[in-house]
Amino acid sequence: MDFHKINSETSSIWDCELIVLPQINTQAGCITALNNERELPFSARRIYYLYDVPSGSERGGHAHKGLYQLIVAGTGSFDVQLDDGIMKRIVTLNRPNIGLLVVPGIWRELNNFSSGAICLVIASQYYSEEDYIRGYSDFKSTKVDNII
Ligand code: TYD
């Protein structure tokens, strides 16, 4: 799959996939290492993480025009709701060696954070407010209707 060819106007929730990340087991614990364009399907420009998320909080609530992200539950668990304007899909993340690839043009909401959860996000671009679509109706208007 060529991730860079995904069109944000026609992308679907099924373009977002769970990726099993390599886990190196040692007697003293595990290591997961991600290299650009190897285990990671894109080149990383930014890493950020959500933590100390109060119980009942919701994060996300936006889409991106061009950004690819790999979302990982570093610790604990949370749900990611993916929405392409037609279909929705909820993915629960709860393992540090499973990543959810979220492609451009997908509305996402994160909730059900467990206590102490860490949401690690590896992103293909630097932070840019220009890349966000923060209004749901604006998002819907960017999507082509007949993507199925
Ligand atoms: P936002 O992406 O809206 O949060 P979330 O999707 O997790 O609910 O970002 C929240 C705030 O943090 C907003 O003011 C922008 C800022 N921010 C950065 O400065 N750099 C970043 O890389 C990110 C992701 C957010």
Side-chain angles (χ1 to χ4, degrees), residues 124-145:
S124 65
Q125 297 296 334
Y126 300 124
Y127 172 75
S128 165
E129 192 57 37
E130 307 288 290
D131 191 67
Y132 280 75
I133 304 171
R134 291 203 182 265
Y136 190 77
S137 56
D138 292 342
F139 164 68
K140 283 277 280 181
S141 69
T142 67
K143 299 297 281 186
V144 172
D145 281 342

mmCIF file of all heavy atoms in Angstrom, residues 124-145:
data_model
loop_
_atom_site.group_PDB
_atom_site.id
_atom_site.type_symbol
_atom_site.label_atom_id
_atom_site.label_comp_id
_atom_site.label_asym_id
_atom_site.label_seq_id
_atom_site.Cartn_x
_atom_site.Cartn_y
_atom_site.Cartn_z
ATOM 1 N N SER A 124 3.324 12.467 10.657
ATOM 2 C CA SER A 124 4.151 12.634 9.458
ATOM 3 C C SER A 124 4.575 14.078 9.214
ATOM 4 O O SER A 124 5.448 14.325 8.386
ATOM 5 C CB SER A 124 3.404 12.100 8.226
ATOM 6 O OG SER A 124 2.245 12.884 7.987
ATOM 7 N N GLN A 125 3.909 15.034 9.871
ATOM 8 C CA GLN A 125 4.210 16.453 9.624
ATOM 9 C C GLN A 125 4.372 17.206 10.939
ATOM 10 O O GLN A 125 3.853 16.785 11.965
ATOM 11 C CB GLN A 125 3.068 17.107 8.837
ATOM 12 C CG GLN A 125 2.843 16.524 7.453
ATOM 13 C CD GLN A 125 4.008 16.725 6.504
ATOM 14 O OE1 GLN A 125 4.787 17.672 6.655
ATOM 15 N NE2 GLN A 125 4.155 15.833 5.546
ATOM 16 N N TYR A 126 5.041 18.338 10.874
ATOM 17 C CA TYR A 126 5.104 19.244 12.017
ATOM 18 C C TYR A 126 3.703 19.750 12.328
ATOM 19 O O TYR A 126 2.818 19.736 11.458
ATOM 20 C CB TYR A 126 6.013 20.441 11.725
ATOM 21 C CG TYR A 126 7.441 20.066 11.412
ATOM 22 C CD1 TYR A 126 8.029 20.481 10.219
ATOM 23 C CD2 TYR A 126 8.196 19.317 12.300
ATOM 24 C CE1 TYR A 126 9.336 20.140 9.922
ATOM 25 C CE2 TYR A 126 9.510 18.977 12.013
ATOM 26 C CZ TYR A 126 10.067 19.386 10.823
ATOM 27 O OH TYR A 126 11.346 19.037 10.526
ATOM 28 N N TYR A 127 3.521 20.204 13.529
ATOM 29 C CA TYR A 127 2.225 20.776 13.886
ATOM 30 C C TYR A 127 1.918 21.974 12.979
ATOM 31 O O TYR A 127 2.738 22.867 12.811
ATOM 32 C CB TYR A 127 2.224 21.242 15.350
ATOM 33 C CG TYR A 127 0.987 22.004 15.709
ATOM 34 C CD1 TYR A 127 -0.217 21.340 15.899
ATOM 35 C CD2 TYR A 127 1.007 23.390 15.805
ATOM 36 C CE1 TYR A 127 -1.373 22.042 16.207
ATOM 37 C CE2 TYR A 127 -0.143 24.097 16.113
ATOM 38 C CZ TYR A 127 -1.325 23.416 16.308
ATOM 39 O OH TYR A 127 -2.460 24.113 16.601
ATOM 40 N N SER A 128 0.713 21.950 12.421
ATOM 41 C CA SER A 128 0.258 23.088 11.615
ATOM 42 C C SER A 128 -1.252 23.198 11.748
ATOM 43 O O SER A 128 -1.987 22.275 11.351
ATOM 44 C CB SER A 128 0.638 22.886 10.143
ATOM 45 O OG SER A 128 -0.091 23.792 9.340
ATOM 46 N N GLU A 129 -1.707 24.307 12.267
ATOM 47 C CA GLU A 129 -3.150 24.502 12.416
ATOM 48 C C GLU A 129 -3.837 24.482 11.044
ATOM 49 O O GLU A 129 -5.007 24.118 10.933
ATOM 50 C CB GLU A 129 -3.407 25.818 13.160
ATOM 51 C CG GLU A 129 -4.831 26.016 13.635
ATOM 52 C CD GLU A 129 -5.367 24.904 14.555
ATOM 53 O OE1 GLU A 129 -4.593 24.380 15.381
ATOM 54 O OE2 GLU A 129 -6.547 24.565 14.422
ATOM 55 N N GLU A 130 -3.066 24.850 10.006
ATOM 56 C CA GLU A 130 -3.626 24.870 8.632
ATOM 57 C C GLU A 130 -4.075 23.484 8.170
ATOM 58 O O GLU A 130 -4.903 23.369 7.272
ATOM 59 C CB GLU A 130 -2.551 25.341 7.631
ATOM 60 C CG GLU A 130 -1.896 26.642 7.980
ATOM 61 C CD GLU A 130 -2.842 27.791 7.758
ATOM 62 O OE1 GLU A 130 -3.127 28.065 6.597
ATOM 63 O OE2 GLU A 130 -3.306 28.365 8.748
ATOM 64 N N ASP A 131 -3.485 22.460 8.769
ATOM 65 C CA ASP A 131 -3.795 21.102 8.336
ATOM 66 C C ASP A 131 -5.052 20.546 9.008
ATOM 67 O O ASP A 131 -5.542 19.482 8.637
ATOM 68 C CB ASP A 131 -2.599 20.175 8.623
ATOM 69 C CG ASP A 131 -2.761 18.820 7.956
ATOM 70 O OD1 ASP A 131 -2.732 18.777 6.713
ATOM 71 O OD2 ASP A 131 -2.958 17.817 8.677
ATOM 72 N N TYR A 132 -5.575 21.282 10.002
ATOM 73 C CA TYR A 132 -6.746 20.789 10.740
ATOM 74 C C TYR A 132 -8.045 21.173 10.040
ATOM 75 O O TYR A 132 -8.170 22.254 9.477
ATOM 76 C CB TYR A 132 -6.804 21.429 12.130
ATOM 77 C CG TYR A 132 -5.898 20.825 13.183
ATOM 78 C CD1 TYR A 132 -4.531 21.057 13.178
ATOM 79 C CD2 TYR A 132 -6.417 20.051 14.214
ATOM 80 C CE1 TYR A 132 -3.708 20.527 14.156
ATOM 81 C CE2 TYR A 132 -5.609 19.524 15.200
ATOM 82 C CZ TYR A 132 -4.249 19.766 15.169
ATOM 83 O OH TYR A 132 -3.438 19.245 16.139
ATOM 84 N N ILE A 133 -9.029 20.283 10.152
ATOM 85 C CA ILE A 133 -10.424 20.644 9.857
ATOM 86 C C ILE A 133 -11.151 20.451 11.183
ATOM 87 O O ILE A 133 -11.294 19.325 11.661
ATOM 88 C CB ILE A 133 -11.044 19.754 8.766
ATOM 89 C CG1 ILE A 133 -10.197 19.804 7.497
ATOM 90 C CG2 ILE A 133 -12.475 20.199 8.479
ATOM 91 C CD1 ILE A 133 -10.603 18.791 6.439
ATOM 92 N N ARG A 134 -11.566 21.536 11.806
ATOM 93 C CA ARG A 134 -12.085 21.445 13.177
ATOM 94 C C ARG A 134 -13.611 21.460 13.253
ATOM 95 O O ARG A 134 -14.175 21.207 14.304
ATOM 96 C CB ARG A 134 -11.511 22.561 14.035
ATOM 97 C CG ARG A 134 -10.002 22.388 14.291
ATOM 98 C CD ARG A 134 -9.578 23.125 15.527
ATOM 99 N NE ARG A 134 -8.151 23.040 15.789
ATOM 100 C CZ ARG A 134 -7.596 22.140 16.601
ATOM 101 N NH1 ARG A 134 -8.336 21.233 17.208
ATOM 102 N NH2 ARG A 134 -6.294 22.149 16.807
ATOM 103 N N GLY A 135 -14.250 21.750 12.144
ATOM 104 C CA GLY A 135 -15.720 21.751 12.149
ATOM 105 C C GLY A 135 -16.236 20.523 11.411
ATOM 106 O O GLY A 135 -15.760 20.227 10.305
ATOM 107 N N TYR A 136 -17.217 19.825 12.010
ATOM 108 C CA TYR A 136 -17.684 18.590 11.371
ATOM 109 C C TYR A 136 -18.366 18.877 10.035
ATOM 110 O O TYR A 136 -18.175 18.127 9.078
ATOM 111 C CB TYR A 136 -18.623 17.815 12.311
ATOM 112 C CG TYR A 136 -18.909 16.434 11.775
ATOM 113 C CD1 TYR A 136 -17.953 15.422 11.902
ATOM 114 C CD2 TYR A 136 -20.097 16.145 11.117
ATOM 115 C CE1 TYR A 136 -18.183 14.155 11.389
ATOM 116 C CE2 TYR A 136 -20.340 14.874 10.605
ATOM 117 C CZ TYR A 136 -19.384 13.886 10.738
ATOM 118 O OH TYR A 136 -19.613 12.622 10.219
ATOM 119 N N SER A 137 -19.123 19.945 9.944
ATOM 120 C CA SER A 137 -19.784 20.224 8.664
ATOM 121 C C SER A 137 -18.760 20.631 7.604
ATOM 122 O O SER A 137 -18.913 20.293 6.415
ATOM 123 C CB SER A 137 -20.874 21.287 8.824
ATOM 124 O OG SER A 137 -20.323 22.441 9.375
ATOM 125 N N ASP A 138 -17.699 21.320 8.028
ATOM 126 C CA ASP A 138 -16.604 21.631 7.077
ATOM 127 C C ASP A 138 -15.976 20.332 6.579
ATOM 128 O O ASP A 138 -15.661 20.174 5.398
ATOM 129 C CB ASP A 138 -15.511 22.471 7.750
ATOM 130 C CG ASP A 138 -15.989 23.861 8.087
ATOM 131 O OD1 ASP A 138 -17.010 24.289 7.502
ATOM 132 O OD2 ASP A 138 -15.354 24.519 8.934
ATOM 133 N N PHE A 139 -15.756 19.403 7.538
ATOM 134 C CA PHE A 139 -15.191 18.097 7.176
ATOM 135 C C PHE A 139 -16.082 17.394 6.155
ATOM 136 O O PHE A 139 -15.600 16.938 5.116
ATOM 137 C CB PHE A 139 -15.039 17.244 8.440
ATOM 138 C CG PHE A 139 -14.839 15.788 8.183
ATOM 139 C CD1 PHE A 139 -13.681 15.308 7.594
ATOM 140 C CD2 PHE A 139 -15.835 14.873 8.520
ATOM 141 C CE1 PHE A 139 -13.514 13.952 7.336
ATOM 142 C CE2 PHE A 139 -15.673 13.523 8.269
ATOM 143 C CZ PHE A 139 -14.512 13.058 7.665
ATOM 144 N N LYS A 140 -17.393 17.331 6.461
ATOM 145 C CA LYS A 140 -18.322 16.635 5.558
ATOM 146 C C LYS A 140 -18.279 17.238 4.163
ATOM 147 O O LYS A 140 -18.365 16.527 3.164
ATOM 148 C CB LYS A 140 -19.752 16.740 6.102
ATOM 149 C CG LYS A 140 -20.028 15.810 7.252
ATOM 150 C CD LYS A 140 -20.387 14.410 6.799
ATOM 151 C CE LYS A 140 -21.842 14.319 6.363
ATOM 152 N NZ LYS A 140 -22.187 12.947 5.944
ATOM 153 N N SER A 141 -18.114 18.559 4.097
ATOM 154 C CA SER A 141 -18.143 19.217 2.788
ATOM 155 C C SER A 141 -16.870 18.932 1.980
ATOM 156 O O SER A 141 -16.855 19.155 0.768
ATOM 157 C CB SER A 141 -18.370 20.719 2.943
ATOM 158 O OG SER A 141 -17.244 21.309 3.524
ATOM 159 N N THR A 142 -15.813 18.439 2.643
ATOM 160 C CA THR A 142 -14.599 18.095 1.883
ATOM 161 C C THR A 142 -14.685 16.701 1.278
ATOM 162 O O THR A 142 -13.874 16.350 0.427
ATOM 163 C CB THR A 142 -13.329 18.113 2.777
ATOM 164 O OG1 THR A 142 -13.395 17.047 3.733
ATOM 165 C CG2 THR A 142 -13.150 19.443 3.478
ATOM 166 N N LYS A 143 -15.642 15.890 1.748
ATOM 167 C CA LYS A 143 -15.665 14.483 1.337
ATOM 168 C C LYS A 143 -16.532 14.264 0.100
ATOM 169 O O LYS A 143 -17.624 14.837 -0.028
ATOM 170 C CB LYS A 143 -16.194 13.594 2.466
ATOM 171 C CG LYS A 143 -15.379 13.628 3.738
ATOM 172 C CD LYS A 143 -13.969 13.110 3.578
ATOM 173 C CE LYS A 143 -13.861 11.611 3.573
ATOM 174 N NZ LYS A 143 -12.439 11.154 3.562
ATOM 175 N N VAL A 144 -16.033 13.409 -0.780
ATOM 176 C CA VAL A 144 -16.824 13.008 -1.930
ATOM 177 C C VAL A 144 -17.866 12.023 -1.423
ATOM 178 O O VAL A 144 -17.564 11.140 -0.634
ATOM 179 C CB VAL A 144 -15.902 12.359 -2.994
ATOM 180 C CG1 VAL A 144 -16.710 11.763 -4.116
ATOM 181 C CG2 VAL A 144 -14.899 13.374 -3.489
ATOM 182 N N ASP A 145 -19.114 12.154 -1.900
ATOM 183 C CA ASP A 145 -20.210 11.360 -1.345
ATOM 184 C C ASP A 145 -20.114 9.872 -1.616
ATOM 185 O O ASP A 145 -20.433 9.058 -0.779
ATOM 186 C CB ASP A 145 -21.559 11.865 -1.892
ATOM 187 C CG ASP A 145 -21.992 13.118 -1.170
ATOM 188 O OD1 ASP A 145 -21.449 13.371 -0.081
ATOM 189 O OD2 ASP A 145 -22.843 13.837 -1.704
#
